[in-house]
Amino acid sequence: REITPYSLSCFFEELDEEDLEIFSLFVKEAGKEKLSYLFSYYIKELRPLHVELKGDDLKALGVPSGPLYKILLEELKKEKLNGNIKTKEEEVEFVKTRMKDR
């Protein structure tokens, strides 16, 4: 598959300023080998990870519907990707703890 100007443009248009900065740092600080490793790591390890809890689960845990769902799901995603949460049970505990903090 060829990288066309259109596909390149589509790719970068999806990135916000912080994403562009991170990408720029990768390019500046990493050689071709490191970039290849990071891409492979993303494809094999990070991309398959997903939050197991869904909106119905949050509702069952007493989370009021609304913008809080998106916030909690994004926080869960961050914790999961960073390796701090591994199981659905840990996701549930995370939500319960966050709800106590609110």
Side-chain angles (χ1 to χ4, degrees):
R1 185 170 167 185
E2 183 182 352
I3 298 174
T4 65
Y6 176 75
S7 63
L8 190 62
S9 178
C10 288
F11 173 77
F12 284 110
E13 284 176 2
E14 293 298 316
L15 303 179
D16 62 23
E17 288 302 315
E18 183 179 357
D19 295 334
L20 286 169
E21 185 177 332
I22 290 169
F23 186 82
S24 176
L25 288 173
F26 282 158
V27 171
K28 288 177 185 173
E29 295 180 15
K32 184 178 179 181
E33 194 172 299
K34 178 80 172 190
L35 283 173
S36 179
Y37 164 77
L38 291 171
F39 180 72
S40 179
Y41 173 67
Y42 168 74
I43 294 295
K44 293 178 183 174
E45 303 292 330
L46 300 179
R47 190 176 185 192
L49 291 178
H50 64 279
V51 173
E52 294 183 57
L53 293 183
K54 305 294 181 223
D56 288 341
D57 299 310
L58 296 180
K59 184 177 182 179
L61 289 168
V63 177
S65 61
L68 186 54
Y69 277 35
K70 182 177 180 179
I71 293 167
L72 286 172
L73 291 172
E74 192 61 32
E75 288 177 358
L76 281 167
K77 178 181 176 183
K78 180 180 178 181
E79 294 299 316
K80 190 131 189 178
L81 287 170
N82 287 334
N84 300 322
I85 292 177
K86 295 183 179 20
T87 66
K88 186 173 183 177
E89 292 75 24
E90 290 174 331
E91 291 180 16
V92 169
E93 287 306 311
F94 177 84
V95 170
K96 286 180 179 179
T97 299
R98 293 291 286 129
M99 291 309 295
K100 286 180 189 172
D101 294 343
R102 292 199 172 267

